Amino acid sequence: MNRFAGLATAALLTLSAAAPATAGTAPPLHWVASWQASPQPVWGADFLFPAGIPTALNDQTFRQTARISLGGPRLRVRLSNAYGTTPVRVGAASVAGSAGAVPVALSFDGQPGTLIAPGQERLSDPLHLPTRDLQAVQVDVYVPGPTPLQTFHWDGRQTSAIAPGDQTTRAALRDGTATTARLFLTGIDVEAPATSRTVVVIGDSITDGATASLDRDQRWTDHLAARLAPQGIAVVNAGISGGRLLRDGMGESALARFQRDVLDQPGVASVVVLVGINDISWPGTAFARNQPRPTLAQLQAGYGALIARAHARGVRVIGATLTPFAGALPGTPLDDYYRPDKDALRHQLNTWLREEAPFDDVIDLDAALRDPADPARLAAAFDSGDHLHPGDAGNRAMAEAVDLAVFGE
């Protein structure tokens, strides 16, 4: 081959490499968050609510179910020791495509287990396990030695189980003890087309699904995920029961966890912010007897800080009005959660959210759920019975109130 022929061949190869993909070529893929359970610090026995988990595990397997939003050819899982003060040693972990299916082993840097340092998380190696949209998968984590439980997600709305020994390869769990808390697992990512993206919903117990039917995926984010999956958009739930915007509650404040639970999620393009009712209502209750109630200006500044941080990352921010709560939590130690002056602040905040707040868009969930005859209250059809949290019908109504156009093209 002479010099000119060689140059011509090189040029043709360069042009071929730069040419667009031809028909039939597989589209590029990227990772998107498809499921999430925000971690919380485990509280002590003197807290108002029981943690619902033992203080430690030792030579035990934790099995839990998670319904992903989008499916894909591969997945990876995220395990967390966010609030631990000692390392967590994972001996083995696995994923099954459904309850009763044979689990497939996960690896971490090519090894069957991993060590998670205090305050850290670990992402598994990608696992070839094809999944479909809205598929429930089962995740097992085995800890071989004494493992203090200092990080969890309190209200999973899903029955999980703790069982003796390493059962990560068993289709049927033996001698399991049930809990509705979640341990170790905080995220599942899937490999999806490059056009796919994720919406994160950050909030409190209303988003966490506090009164949604157990094991039935009836949170309002579950219904929203079903609406958005056909468009290639995942929805992940960053709700924490007892969560607040400005101060820590039954988890870190939204301001403190926004980076981890929203901006660090792979593929995030939009965030819905539905938080603030506990900021308004906790002060003066058994949760925060001597704390002052925040002012409207302080709440506005908190929202503004989230908006600025999201926009700096090119993430779209959608606000949501706070829902009615007159008569909330009757017959409980928190029956002073509602007061007319607290509701007056909610109305002021909602007016600002609708008319002045610098969000990219606003979802009016107050209008969707309130009783037309008594707007301070949830409509009876949407009320779980505690006058604060929507029931299954209310969660569905919240999702249906969302104009999907708020998430952009």
Side-chain angles (χ1 to χ4, degrees), residues 183-386:
L183 297 174
F184 310 119
L185 177 69
T186 58
I188 300 174
D189 305 335
V190 300
E191 204 171 32
T195 54
S196 301
R197 57 194 190 276
T198 294
V199 173
V200 180
V201 184
I202 189 167
D204 47 43
S205 56
I206 291 173
T207 293
D208 207 12
T211 51
S213 291
L214 188 67
D215 298 328
R216 289 182 57 195
D217 300 311
Q218 291 293 308
R219 308 162 196 83
W220 81 274
T221 54
D222 295 322
H223 293 295
L224 185 60
R227 293 187 66 198
L228 284 170
Q231 299 187 19
I233 302 175
V235 176
V236 299
N237 188 323
I240 286 181
S241 292
R244 295 196 280 178
L245 172 66
L246 303 176
R247 288 178 178 262
D248 294 349
M250 291 162 62
E252 288 188 292
S253 71
L255 286 170
R257 64 189 183 92
F258 194 71
Q259 181 69 42
R260 179 195 68 200
D261 291 352
V262 177
L263 300 182
D264 288 347
Q265 296 302 307
V268 61
S270 302
V271 56
V272 178
V273 179
L274 174 57
V275 66
I277 196 67
N278 290 325
D279 294 76
I280 292 171
S281 293
W282 269 33
T285 70
F287 274 138
R289 187 66 69 193
N290 300 313
Q291 276 184 9
R293 191 179 310 151
T295 65
L296 177 63
Q298 288 171 328
L299 291 166
Q300 290 169 334
Y303 283 117
L306 296 185
I307 294 167
R309 290 165 64 186
H311 283 170
R313 286 282 300 274
V315 173
R316 185 173 175 81
V317 194
I318 297 96
T321 55
L322 302 186
T323 53
F325 70 116
L329 308 176
T332 75
L334 296 170
D335 61 2
D336 51 358
Y337 187 90
Y338 173 83
R339 289 290 182 267
D341 55 341
K342 297 177 181 179
D343 202 29
L345 179 54
R346 180 184 71 93
H347 279 290
Q348 289 179 305
L349 183 61
N350 279 350
T351 298
W352 177 76
L353 287 167
R354 292 183 182 107
E355 299 176 3
E356 301 178 43
F359 286 100
D360 296 302
D361 221 314
V362 174
I363 304 166
D364 198 345
L365 296 177
D366 173 42
L369 295 189
R370 67 193 179 203
D371 184 345
D374 187 357
R377 293 181 177 273
L378 289 170
F382 300 146
D383 193 342
S384 67
D386 69 7

Side-chain angles (χ1 to χ4, degrees), residues 157-158 200 406:
R157 306 312 300 160
Q158 186 78 40
V200 180
V406 301

Side-chain angles (χ1 to χ4, degrees), residues 1-12:
M1 179 183 292
N2 63 35
R3 176 173 177 269
F4 295 105
L7 288 172
T9 300
L12 286 170

